[in-house]
Amino acid sequence: METYVILRRGGWQSAADLEEAAARSKKVGDEQMPDEVRWIRSYVLAENEGTVGTVCVYQATGPEAIREHAARAFLPVDEIIAVRDTVIVRPDPAPVAV
């Protein structure tokens, strides 16, 4: 599997909508496509229009597997970018309580 970043701009109206989408995403990945797609993490974006977007890190067999996963889980996909390498300067900060 290769690593990809998926940009999903303004895909949800609220954090609650995103939580429902996350549950669908995990279920599809774990139960239907475990050998094709693996969700690693997501960063939640506060979009200008008041909606919620994400930047997601996945491992997948290819962009087509990510698109298939998104279709099955009813997730938007604006852009899929292959990750060439990782540079870690500091560990991720602790999650912020919302």
Side-chain angles (χ1 to χ4, degrees), residues 11-91:
W12 300 275
Q13 294 300 312
S14 68
D17 292 341
L18 177 56
E19 284 183 35
E20 290 175 14
R24 288 193 312 270
S25 178
K26 185 171 184 327
K27 183 173 179 149
V28 168
D30 290 351
E31 296 178 10
Q32 297 177 25
M33 303 179 72
D35 297 330
E36 299 166 77
V37 173
R38 188 175 315 135
W39 180 20
I40 305 301
R41 73 180 61 194
S42 293
Y43 297 95
V44 179
L45 309 175
E47 302 283 13
N48 291 333
E49 322 71 53
T51 59
V52 178
T54 59
V55 174
C56 301
V57 179
Y58 275 66
Q59 289 182 319
T61 56
E64 57 286 335
I66 293 169
R67 287 188 187 91
E68 177 63 25
H69 171 266
R72 291 184 191 189
F74 306 105
L75 304 172
V77 174
D78 294 314
E79 191 171 357
I80 300 170
I81 305 161
V83 174
R84 181 176 293 188
D85 200 358
T86 302
V87 176
I88 299 174
V89 176
R90 293 179 185 87

